[in-house]
Amino acid sequence: MENYSKGRTVEQPSACPFPGLPPDTPEVRVKDGSKIRNLLRYALSRVEGKAKAAEEEERPPPEEGGGGVTEGGQKEARPLCSHVVFTASGKGVSKAITCAEIVKRRVKGLHQLTKLLFSTVVEVWEPLEPAAGLDSLTVNRNLPAIWILLSREPMDRGEPGYQPPGRYDLLWAQSATKEEGGGVTGQRTGHKRKKGGGGGGRGRGAGRHTGHSRDAA
């Protein structure tokens, strides 16, 4: 490929694998260069409510779209969404997973459904010297893609990729305690054996050496 240069790249994203979602379901497309803070602000504003998300971010709620003014003079937030979708491909997959986990910690009781697919990337390579008779090349690459659906409504527990809502802090704490306890016990046991064996060996060796010297004298 030393005689070619990349002309353009066209990504063909995979279709949403979650049929039957409400039309107002937000779809957050995560890129490699996306900032997690901006992605979370948008997702939480649709799940928690615009006013609450903006208050926690210490910023005034945006003025555009959807909200009215109540009798008390406060801005009314648009209706909450019961679903939110995160999708990413390539290097952005890990960032999409991070966003989904943070949203699950902020909003309790969310059901999760994860699907792994492939998206197609079409690369067109142009020859550096068209007069040499070289043709353009088209390269198709498959990138791993992930789709994560978070829902307030219950979903089919038998669906592959389903994760029920729940807190796993206690589970991680118990695992860490067991690992820490096993490591400390093993170190103490090995240290005692090494110290006792080494000390006894030196004492017996010293006694034998002294007795041999007296006989020789």
Side-chain angles (χ1 to χ4, degrees):
M1 302 292 289
E2 62 273 6
N3 296 324
Y4 288 86
S5 63
K6 185 184 294 186
R8 65 181 183 275
T9 302
V10 180
E11 182 177 356
Q12 300 176 356
S14 56
C16 180
F18 308 121
L21 291 178
D24 61 341
T25 301
E27 184 177 303
V28 183
R29 295 185 175 271
V30 183
K31 302 295 183 180
D32 183 27
S34 302
K35 294 184 178 181
I36 295 181
R37 182 182 182 87
N38 297 336
L39 298 173
L40 291 177
R41 183 182 298 113
Y42 171 73
L44 292 174
S45 68
R46 301 300 305 274
V47 178
E48 289 185 323
K50 183 185 296 185
K52 182 178 179 181
E55 181 180 358
E56 293 181 356
E57 295 292 342
E58 296 183 357
R59 293 188 177 184
E63 297 296 331
E64 72 276 8
V69 178
T70 61
E71 296 180 358
Q74 297 180 354
K75 190 173 181 60
E76 181 183 0
R78 54 186 167 182
L80 298 180
C81 296
S82 58
H83 304 79
V84 61
V85 176
F86 289 93
T87 177
S89 61
K91 297 181 179 180
V93 169
S94 60
K95 190 170 294 186
I97 297 175
T98 301
C99 292
E101 292 298 327
I102 295 176
V103 172
K104 286 166 57 180
R105 287 180 176 270
R106 294 278 295 270
V107 183
K108 305 302 180 182
L110 291 180
H111 301 259
Q112 178 177 340
L113 185 60
T114 305
K115 297 293 183 181
L116 300 178
L117 303 174
F118 285 96
S119 62
T120 304
V121 176
V122 180
E123 298 179 351
V124 179
W125 295 75
E126 301 292 344
L128 296 176
E129 299 180 1
L134 298 176
D135 298 331
S136 301
L137 298 180
T138 301
V139 180
N140 296 329
R141 295 191 299 113
N142 292 328
L143 292 179
I146 189 171
W147 289 77
I148 303 176
L149 171 62
L150 301 179
S151 173
R152 295 179 182 271
E153 301 176 358
M155 294 185 290
D156 184 9
R157 294 179 176 268
E159 182 75 15
Y162 171 77
Q163 296 182 22
R167 296 185 59 183
Y168 306 97
D169 299 341
L170 182 60
L171 176 61
W172 288 110
Q174 291 177 354
S175 300
T177 303
K178 290 181 181 179
E179 293 179 0
E180 183 180 357
V184 173
T185 304
Q187 291 179 0
R188 289 181 178 178
T189 304
H191 182 68
K192 287 183 179 180
R193 291 180 179 178
K194 184 177 180 181
K195 183 177 180 180
R202 287 195 299 269
R204 290 192 296 270
R208 291 176 183 176
H209 180 71
T210 304
H212 179 73
S213 299
R214 289 179 181 179
D215 294 341

